[in-house]
Amino acid sequence: MRWLLACVLAVSTSTVQADGPLYAEVQLAAAGVNHSNLDFYPTFGSISAGLFVREGIGIEVFADSGITSDKKNGFDLEVTEAYGIGLRLQSAPVRRIQGYMVLGAVNFTVNQEANATASLGGSLINGDFTGVRVSLGIMERLERWKNVLVSLEYRHYNADQPIHVDAVLLGLRVNTP
């Protein structure tokens, strides 16, 4: 009887802490954009949603939208928008902490405009770029709300152009029960 009670408690406890297949996340990003030997530091917001197809393997879609631009040497640069899809590889939790990696494709728009005091050293961009997205991150499950996690992520957008976007994102993720 004790073994039966122990097994029932173990199964019910693990079921309560198991995550469902769907998740959604909201993130705030501090980005670094390098173009024409100039470094800009705009901010953007990101939302993502995903579905786990197997344990630790999921498909994720995301969209970003610019919040603030950065000015340098007479130029004003903003990551206007980005969207894409990726494969999410996520580790099992260890003491409420999980690691993950997202590999995928991204289409992003960067606007760089010259103002009246612009130097001749930089160039103007106003276009879309398509490339690869690579993200590495960690998440910690909150004790009070079992399906809510806080995340910290490094993200890189790379295109076949002389422009690179790197960002550090802080997020809040909700898993389905």
Side-chain angles (χ1 to χ4, degrees):
M1 184 65 170
R2 283 188 283 177
W3 285 104
L4 179 62
L5 183 59
C7 289
V8 169
L9 287 175
V11 169
S12 66
T13 304
S14 64
T15 305
V16 170
Q17 293 183 351
D19 293 328
L22 300 173
Y23 65 90
E25 188 166 15
V26 176
Q27 297 172 309
L28 180 61
V33 180
N34 179 276
H35 182 264
S36 301
N37 295 324
L38 294 174
D39 291 321
F40 296 91
Y41 302 101
T43 61
F44 61 86
S46 183
I47 59 169
S48 61
L51 169 69
F52 282 101
V53 293
R54 303 195 112 197
E55 188 173 335
I57 301 172
I59 304 295
E60 178 174 298
V61 294
F62 71 96
D64 301 343
S65 182
I67 296 175
T68 64
S69 62
D70 187 33
K71 295 175 175 46
K72 183 157 299 190
N73 290 354
F75 293 100
D76 191 12
L77 185 132
E78 178 182 19
V79 177
T80 309
E81 66 180 10
Y83 57 90
I85 187 166
L87 176 69
R88 184 180 188 98
L89 305 171
Q90 184 171 293
S91 71
V94 176
R95 296 185 188 147
R96 297 188 343 249
I97 295 178
Q98 294 175 270
Y100 64 91
M101 175 173 46
V102 179
L103 304 170
V106 63
N107 184 305
F108 60 98
T109 304
V110 175
N111 288 326
Q112 178 178 312
E113 298 176 1
N115 60 28
T117 62
S119 67
L120 298 176
S123 62
L124 298 175
I125 347 172
N126 189 1
D128 293 330
F129 302 94
T130 301
V132 176
R133 171 194 173 185
V134 177
S135 296
L136 297 172
I138 58 171
M139 301 180 300
E140 182 175 4
R141 185 175 304 276
L142 299 178
E143 284 186 42
R144 187 182 256 328
W145 301 291
K146 298 295 182 196
N147 291 332
V148 179
L149 298 96
V150 175
S151 65
L152 180 64
E153 177 179 315
Y154 165 76
R155 188 180 291 181
H156 177 74
Y157 297 158
N158 195 5
D160 287 338
Q161 304 287 331
I163 186 167
H164 301 283
V165 178
D166 295 295
V168 175
L169 297 95
L170 182 61
L172 193 62
R173 174 176 156 166
V174 177
N175 294 328
T176 57

